[in-house]
Amino acid sequence: MSPVGLVVSPDRAAALVRADRAAGRTVALANGCFDLLHVGHVRYLRGAAAEADRLLVAVNADRSVAALKGRGRPVQAAAERAEILAALGMVDYVVIFEEATVAGLLERLRPDVHCKGTDYTAETVPEREVVRAYGGRTAIVGDPKDHSTRDLLSRIAGARPE
């Protein structure tokens, strides 16, 4: 494995997860928009990486980010967001998913653990039943939700050059 992760297709991600599992490794999946990476994202991913031997990050495609976050989003295209995430040392694989939710990818890849940030509880993660149905677990990781891309964009918009 290279020191940085790989951006892969869902088919390739499935093959990599099968290979990891055959080698006795566990896999965690963390998902999100990751539009303008900030320290909250890094802490979330660091926590997710601690849950398994491999960390697979699923990134929302541009269309779903626009639907979730509104006008003007995403700031960065999915391919760029994925490449930035893959450059982080704790990330092994990155996959872009086109669906509105990550449920289908979870059903397909069946990671040992699905990691979500602290803006959720294990009981409020929308995909918890999908994960539970195939025998996986849900983990809440990262620091308190004190950072957001929305706040970062507001601060940038309010900044004035000197």
Side-chain angles (χ1 to χ4, degrees), residues 4-26:
V4 296
L6 302 170
V7 179
V8 299
S9 69
D11 287 343
R12 181 73 178 131
L16 289 166
V17 169
R18 280 193 304 274
D20 281 332
R21 215 167 257 123
R25 288 186 283 267
T26 57

Side-chain angles (χ1 to χ4, degrees), residues 21 26-30 47-56 106 110-116 131 134-141:
R21 215 167 257 123
T26 57
V27 177
L29 185 146
E51 294 289 326
D53 300 314
R54 293 277 197 235
L55 176 58
L56 169 62
L106 287 166
R110 298 181 174 227
D112 299 278
V113 58
H114 178 216
C115 299
K116 293 297 285 183
V131 174
Y134 69 75
R137 66 181 173 89
T138 299
I140 304 301
V141 298

